Amino acid sequence: MSFAQPLLTLLQRIERGLDAIIQPVVFAGMAALIGVITLQIVSRVLFSAVGWTEEVARFLLVWITFLAGTLAFQRGRHIAVTFAVDAMPLPLRKLARLAALAIVVAFMITLIVIGYRYMQVQSFQKSASLRLSMTYVYAVMPLAAGIMAWYALVDMVEVLVNGEPTAADQEEPL
């Protein structure tokens, strides 16, 4: 399958590009979350509480959770019980990995559809303090599901071309 190697290289380059965007966004979100919570604590202790800090902290936490979940998925860091699959011979292990990835893709596509519908249903709602459309808050669900589906598809191509995905073997810190 040497003809598929250039395609795999391109897909992996796109995957690294997504990672290069998401990682600083999660870092900035964490820094903003720390800043907002610090402001909330200081304002409550020294003077009257700043009303919007609780809402911003909640929204940041939701976005950070979903986006960091995509990074964990890309690195193979989500919890998994693999001892049975690891004990299989390579052809069966490859088939089991492809089946698992196909299930993940199907689940993520379902989550994209449900998340998009939920986002549309909640689009009329505004947040209490900031009067921000809740569409922006709920948009992270289909976005993160789409990114994870992409990562799973790249893993499927890696399994087909190389026999095993390489992303799960990388030992990079989040």
Side-chain angles (χ1 to χ4, degrees), residues 71-153:
L71 293 174
F73 181 81
Q74 189 261 343
R75 290 174 173 84
R77 299 289 177 98
H78 282 274
I79 191 166
V81 180
T82 61
F83 68 90
V85 174
D86 292 342
M88 293 179 180
L90 185 60
L92 283 177
R93 189 170 52 226
K94 185 176 175 179
L95 188 63
R97 180 76 173 144
L98 285 171
L101 288 168
I103 291 168
V104 167
V105 169
F107 179 76
M108 290 303 155
I109 290 171
T110 303
L111 190 58
I112 291 168
V113 171
I114 291 170
Y116 183 75
R117 287 181 185 160
Y118 192 70
M119 192 176 73
Q120 286 181 320
V121 167
Q122 297 299 324
S123 64
F124 70 92
Q125 186 180 3
K126 303 271 187 212
S127 66
S129 295
L130 299 174
R131 306 303 303 158
L132 178 72
S133 173
M134 293 303 285
T135 300
Y136 301 117
V137 177
Y138 294 119
V140 73
M141 189 179 352
L143 174 68
I147 293 168
M148 282 192 248
W150 172 261
Y151 287 154
L153 287 171

Side-chain angles (χ1 to χ4, degrees), residues 140-164:
V140 73
M141 189 179 352
L143 174 68
I147 293 168
M148 282 192 248
W150 172 261
Y151 287 154
L153 287 171
V154 172
D155 283 351
M156 287 177 86
V157 173
E158 286 178 345
V159 168
L160 290 170
V161 172
N162 297 334
E164 290 288 331

Side-chain angles (χ1 to χ4, degrees), residues 30-49:
M30 287 295 293
L33 182 63
I34 291 168
V36 167
I37 290 174
T38 302
L39 174 63
Q40 185 179 42
I41 292 168
V42 169
S43 70
R44 285 184 184 197
V45 170
L46 298 180
F47 42 92
S48 65

